[in-house]
């Protein structure tokens, strides 16, 4: 089995949390692996964030990431219709 791309979805706390009395503004995680493309989704406090790791031979993760907000919002709207 050879994996080319992987998507992980990690559900985080649904509500705001604190650590040592400080509010956590955002949660993110990164996975570095020998895959061509890795997308990591994490939800926290009503928001979803995505981390991208990819082999430089197939492109620039910043180019892929620039489409995240608009495409995710379209996806969420379509899902809400069902």
């Amino acid at each position: 089995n050879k994996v080319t791309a992987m998507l992980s979805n990690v559900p985080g706390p649904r509500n705001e949390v604190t650590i040592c009395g400080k509010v956590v503004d955002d949660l993110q995680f990164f996975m570095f692996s020998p895959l061509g493309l890795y997308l990591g989704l994490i939800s926290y406090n009503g928001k979803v964030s995505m981390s991208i790791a990819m082999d430089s031979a197939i492109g620039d993760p910043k180019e892929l990431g620039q489409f995240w907000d608009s495409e995710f919002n379209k996806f969420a709207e379509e899902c809400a219709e069902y």
Side-chain angles (χ1 to χ4, degrees):
N1 289 332
K2 292 188 178 186
V3 177
T4 302
M6 183 178 288
L7 171 68
S8 291
N9 180 27
V10 177
R14 293 181 183 204
N15 300 309
E16 183 178 86
V17 298
T18 59
I19 297 177
C20 298
K22 302 288 183 182
V23 173
V24 175
D25 293 325
D26 189 24
L27 288 179
Q28 296 203 7
F29 72 97
F30 291 90
M31 170 79 169
F32 297 100
S33 67
L35 301 175
L37 174 64
Y38 179 83
L39 304 170
L41 302 175
I42 188 165
S43 59
Y44 169 64
N45 195 21
K47 296 183 272 184
V48 178
S49 299
M50 179 178 67
S51 301
I52 303 170
M54 61 193 293
D55 188 321
S56 61
I58 62 171
D60 181 356
K62 290 180 183 176
E63 288 182 30
L64 182 59
Q66 73 182 351
F67 300 104
W68 166 248
D69 284 337
S70 62
E71 293 303 313
F72 183 80
N73 290 334
K74 286 180 196 175
F75 176 69
E77 288 171 12
E78 290 178 15
C79 289
E81 293 175 8
Y82 296 98

